[in-house]
Amino acid sequence: MYKVKVYGGEKFAGYACSHEKTLEFDTYDAAYIHAESMRKGSSIGVWFKVEQQ
């Protein structure tokens, strides 16, 4: 399983979630695609990292 970690600046802010439930992905590619879709709508100070659980 993979999760997308969200950072604000240099600090860890939490995991990507939907309806207060942390999103988990079966593949790295699925998590990466989700992170890229979130990145396009975020500010420059927010970044994402895919992490294997």
Side-chain angles (χ1 to χ4, degrees), residues 1-52:
M1 298 305 274
Y2 296 86
K3 294 182 181 179
V4 177
K5 291 179 90 171
V6 180
Y7 292 84
E10 294 186 19
K11 295 183 179 180
F12 173 61
Y15 289 98
C17 59
S18 177
H19 304 289
E20 298 184 23
K21 182 180 178 201
T22 300
L23 297 176
E24 295 183 345
F25 300 89
D26 291 329
T27 65
Y28 176 89
D29 289 338
Y32 180 84
I33 290 168
H34 182 75
E36 281 292 307
S37 70
M38 291 191 313
R39 186 182 65 82
K40 290 178 183 175
S42 67
S43 72
I44 197 155
V46 176
W47 58 282
F48 308 93
K49 178 180 178 183
V50 174
E51 178 180 82
Q52 188 172 16

